[in-house]
Amino acid sequence: MKHISIAALALLFAQGLAGQDTTKAAAPAAAPAAAPAAAPTASVSVAEAVVARSVVDRVPQDTGTAFPVDVGQVVLWTKVTGATAATAIHHVWFHGDTQVGDVELAVGGSPWRTWSKKTVPADWTGAWHVEVRDAAGTVLKRIDFTLGQ
């Protein structure tokens, strides 16, 4: 299935370049080519984001802001809008102020639901948060939660 996804993204990406190459002469096309690449990133927004124990049929289950020590793993489920094909977002996981994960997620359209999981050691209690960032690193949303408290 990954082969199909990678091939599909490559095809979409190649089609986007072909469209840019045919619109203008080489010198003027250089400046407009940068603007379309930035436009999908700038228009991406987070419509919903929740921390949950799991995701079933693309729906978050057992959401909350506090989880027991023995939870094992948590999921950040995100619904984004305004994205176009071949856009990416990141879920950047933090325990306290220490970054403990960065998951890049492909976004194929709008609206789009995606999620990442984080295994949580039993001794990593306390404050956690996850930042949803666009491809440029801009924080679109921050979700705070606690473990074991």
Side-chain angles (χ1 to χ4, degrees), residues 79-101:
K79 179 180 179 181
V80 296
T81 58
T84 59
T87 299
I89 62 168
H90 288 254
H91 286 174
V92 184
W93 293 83
F94 292 86
H95 176 230
D97 292 328
T98 304
Q99 181 178 325
V100 294

Side-chain angles (χ1 to χ4, degrees), residues 49-100:
V50 294
V51 178
R53 287 183 181 237
S54 64
V55 175
V56 176
D57 294 328
R58 295 183 299 272
V59 178
Q61 306 294 309
D62 300 321
T63 64
T65 57
F67 297 90
V69 169
D70 62 352
V71 70
Q73 77 174 13
V74 290
V75 177
L76 180 70
W77 178 92
T78 308
K79 179 180 179 181
V80 296
T81 58
T84 59
T87 299
I89 62 168
H90 288 254
H91 286 174
V92 184
W93 293 83
F94 292 86
H95 176 230
D97 292 328
T98 304
Q99 181 178 325
V100 294

Side-chain angles (χ1 to χ4, degrees), residues 12-13 28 35 37-39 46 51-52 70 72 106 113 125-126 136 138:
L12 289 171
F13 184 70
V46 177
V51 178
D70 62 352
R113 297 170 289 183
T125 60
T138 303

